[in-house]
Amino acid sequence: MTPTTAPHNDEARKPSRARFFILGAVGAFVFLVVVVCVAIVAALNSLGDISIGSKHLEPIPVAPSACPYLREVHDKADAAGRAYLGVLTGQLDPHGWRTEAARHAQLLAAFELTLRAAKPHVPAPVANELQTVIVKVAAGRKEVKTAQSPSDYQSLSAGQVFEGTAALGNASDLVGNACGFVLSPNVTSP
């Protein structure tokens, strides 16, 4: 073998090692993103069933006059949850992220308004949980406006979604079946 052949082979291997490392890093990152997305989807799918380290709350008396307001909360939470699930699963508006972000911001604004409207009509423990949801939805509205992409929005909003979902689950536990429906939506598909 000539001396020029050996270095040539080593140099040929260096780019393939670099590509292997980059592909491995990208693969690990994609795997991590998938794991986080699956965890968020699982949280959204079990909105009424969140019990991380806590028990379900016992239902309290809720006036029938609160039920139309709570139905609106349920419906708006369902719409916002489906939209967020669409972001997580990549089922977005074909016109792009800006269009999807604007639509999502409108859904969150409508959800926040119904939460605010319902709050004076429910018992204090339920109102306290709804207030937590209001704070988390308001934060999500800011995050969707600043996010540059769906993945950016996911990373910015994951904590808000999780905490808001937990508070809505608590409110749902407190309301129980007083209105003939479960307050937490059953988000299963976008």
Side-chain angles (χ1 to χ4, degrees), residues 1 6 14-15 33 35 42 45 59 72-73 76 83 92 95 105 128 136 139 141-142 144-146 172 176-177 190:
M1 216 177 241
K14 286 181 183 177
V33 168
V35 168
N45 281 334
E72 283 296 313
V73 168
K76 299 298 187 216
L92 303 173
H95 295 99
N128 291 340
K136 300 306 174 184
R141 287 178 62 201
K142 290 177 186 172
V144 77
K145 288 179 184 177
T146 61
S172 186
N177 289 319

Side-chain angles (χ1 to χ4, degrees), residues 10 12 26 37 40 51 58 60 65 67 80 90 101 105 107 114 116 123 131 135 150 152 172:
D10 286 342
V26 168
C37 288
I40 292 171
S51 58
E58 291 297 318
I60 61 174
S65 60
C67 293
L107 290 170
T114 59
R116 291 183 185 282
Q131 180 59 40
V135 169
D152 189 27
S172 186

Side-chain angles (χ1 to χ4, degrees), residues 78-114:
D78 189 63
R82 287 181 194 282
Y84 192 76
L85 187 58
V87 170
L88 290 178
T89 59
Q91 296 177 359
L92 303 173
D93 188 300
H95 295 99
W97 171 241
R98 287 285 108 216
T99 302
E100 185 67 34
R103 183 177 85 81
H104 200 71
Q106 289 174 341
L107 290 170
L108 290 174
F111 184 28
E112 185 178 344
L113 285 174
T114 59

